[in-house]
Amino acid sequence: MTTQTKPEEAAAPASGDAFLSVRDLKVHFSTEDGIVKAVDGLSFDLERGKTLGIVGESGSGKSVTNLAVLGLHNRKTTTIDGSITLDGQELTDAGEKQLETLRGKKMAMIFQDALTALSPYYTVGRQIAEPFMKHTGASKRDARVRAIDLLEKVGIPHPQQRVDDYPHQFSGGMRQRAMIAMALACDPDLLIADEPTTALDVTVQAQILDLLKDLQQEFGSAIIMITHDLGVVANMADDILVMYAGRAVERGSVREVLKAPQHPYTWGLLGSMPRLSSSVDEPLLPIPGSPPSLLNPPSGCPFHPRCAHTDKVQGGLCAGERPALAAGRAAACHLTGEQRQQVFIDTIQPRLG
Ligand code: SF4
């Protein structure tokens, strides 16, 4: 069967003047075995003061997308096509120096594992103060005051003393807070948080998410929250982008996507998530199979080898033609609106409660 590909995401997301705008982004890696299409035609927008949750399994392209925004890919082995504009400035052809200036000052990243991201050799205070000095030209003394102020803001007790501690002297939750302080040192307009609470217990997770929300209100930053946890997205985000095999398969507001999901992959993600209201013997419904190889992705809809609804689509379209993602609230799937509605009412809604 021949595979036809539509320009899946040529249609721009419905949005006005986005602060961050990604259009038809392709991030491909050259490997010994061939080209890995880690991101393959992705478009989205993000406005100031808003949070976009990007969800999907490992290998769906979430982190690769954001490393491209930050300009952190190795340009020798990575091909980046498409457009990424931040506050009107094109980033895909920006030089290393320009990107370095933007990182920290205009955009910053909060990593999953603070222990790896923080250097064990320097005090927490120094690691917060250095990017501040570098980007603002502040004196050592002023940078120290800034570090103490930020540690206080992120809820570290006795910041005057703790500023001279090393990361190993902090608990896991405190290290995560310190990393947030580090990311906020220069008031970045865009914060990218990659699974920022995965390594933390539930209580600390809730505190960190609340902290991020408070800081967003204070600093007005735009946030991209990368996660596989729909609970985190429900708590934090305004909009959701569901990614599968390097592409967006569903997009909408948090309410739209979590209350009335339209794509079989999103149904699968929701079905595999435990719910507080479910009884202890209610089984989780994991998505069968595993994410596809991006070296040799499946023809047509990349989800078709794992999808339970291909028999509802006539003419072998699922394996033969890649479904497009329309503008605005949309899902990339060949099922008709009525078919999706029917499956949702029969099998998904009762589970969501
Ligand atoms: Fe499933 Fe076909 Fe829709 Fe893909 S296009 S999600 S295979 S029904």
Side-chain angles (χ1 to χ4, degrees):
M1 182 175 293
T2 52
T3 297
Q4 303 165 28
T5 25
K6 283 187 178 179
E8 180 184 323
E9 311 217 13
S15 176
D17 299 325
F19 174 61
L20 174 71
S21 183
V22 172
R23 286 290 173 280
D24 201 20
L25 179 69
K26 295 187 175 92
V27 184
H28 295 179
F29 302 124
S30 303
T31 70
E32 282 183 359
D33 297 316
I35 305 288
V36 174
K37 297 179 177 175
V39 175
D40 200 26
L42 179 71
S43 302
F44 66 87
D45 284 330
L46 178 59
E47 290 170 33
R48 280 178 199 275
K50 296 279 182 191
T51 299
L52 174 71
I54 303 187
V55 298
E57 293 162 292
S58 298
S60 59
K62 315 180 296 281
S63 298
V64 171
T65 300
N66 288 292
L67 291 176
V69 172
L70 290 158
L72 287 174
H73 286 297
N74 180 342
R75 297 211 175 178
K76 285 192 187 128
T77 52
T78 313
T79 308
I80 299 179
D81 281 323
S83 166
I84 303 169
T85 54
L86 183 74
D87 207 8
Q89 185 173 0
E90 179 59 52
L91 301 185
T92 51
D93 54 13
E96 192 40 50
K97 264 223 151 78
Q98 198 181 351
L99 285 168
E100 222 173 89
T101 309
L102 288 171
R103 282 194 297 264
K105 205 169 181 184
K106 233 174 161 109
M107 52 187 179
M109 178 111 178
I110 299 168
F111 293 93
Q112 181 180 146
D113 182 2
L115 202 52
T116 316
L118 293 168
S119 167
Y121 302 110
Y122 300 109
T123 63
V124 168
R126 180 166 169 185
Q127 294 184 65
I128 298 170
E130 272 193 351
F132 183 65
M133 287 194 288
K134 185 174 164 195
H135 290 294
T136 64
S139 67
K140 232 176 170 176
R141 212 177 120 157
D142 287 348
R144 183 181 164 83
V145 171
R146 172 80 174 160
I148 292 170
D149 180 44
L150 280 166
L151 284 175
E152 185 168 23
K153 238 175 206 133
V154 298
I156 301 286
H158 313 298
Q160 279 94 343
Q161 285 94 54
R162 304 307 301 251
V163 71
D164 295 318
D165 281 358
Y166 287 85
H168 73 271
Q169 293 171 286
F170 275 29
S171 68
M174 282 165 70
R175 278 195 293 267
Q176 207 64 15
R177 286 169 191 267
M179 198 164 49
I180 294 172
M182 209 163 108
L184 290 173
C186 302
D187 294 349
D189 298 310
L190 173 66
L191 259 183
I192 298 179
D194 191 350
E195 305 274 9
T197 56
T198 303
L200 305 172
D201 69 48
V202 193
T203 325
V204 182
Q205 179 174 339
Q207 290 169 359
I208 297 285
L209 294 179
D210 283 347
L211 170 67
L212 276 173
K213 277 195 276 191
D214 290 348
L215 294 170
Q216 181 178 42
Q217 283 214 329
E218 186 179 339
F219 291 85
S221 316
I223 297 180
I224 296 180
M225 177 73 62
I226 306 169
T227 180
H228 63 275
D229 186 338
L230 288 167
V232 168
V233 169
N235 194 328
M236 275 295 293
D238 299 290
D239 294 308
I240 299 185
L241 193 72
V242 182
M243 284 190 75
Y244 188 77
R247 293 187 161 231
V249 294
E250 182 158 4
R251 168 197 316 120
S253 69
V254 164
R255 198 180 157 73
E256 287 166 338
V257 176
L258 296 187
K259 287 274 173 210
Q262 292 187 0
H263 194 282
Y265 178 59
T266 316
W267 296 339
L269 289 177
L270 286 162
S272 57
M273 217 178 79
R275 292 179 304 126
L276 272 181
S277 56
S278 60
S279 64
V280 279
D281 48 6
E282 183 179 309
L284 297 179
L285 302 171
I287 305 170
S290 41
S293 155
L294 297 176
L295 259 176
N296 192 11
S299 61
C301 170
F303 189 57
H304 86 260
R306 304 172 76 187
C307 183
H309 305 284
T310 51
D311 59 338
K312 300 179 182 74
V313 178
Q314 301 299 308
L317 263 190
C318 290
E321 188 177 298
R322 191 175 249 172
L325 186 74
R329 164 79 182 120
C333 175
H334 291 307
L335 290 171
T336 63
E338 292 90 75
Q339 285 173 321
R340 281 185 229 161
Q341 181 72 4
Q342 203 53 56
V343 178
F344 178 73
I345 290 169
D346 292 346
T347 58
I348 312 298
Q349 201 168 37
R351 231 200 107 66
L352 295 181

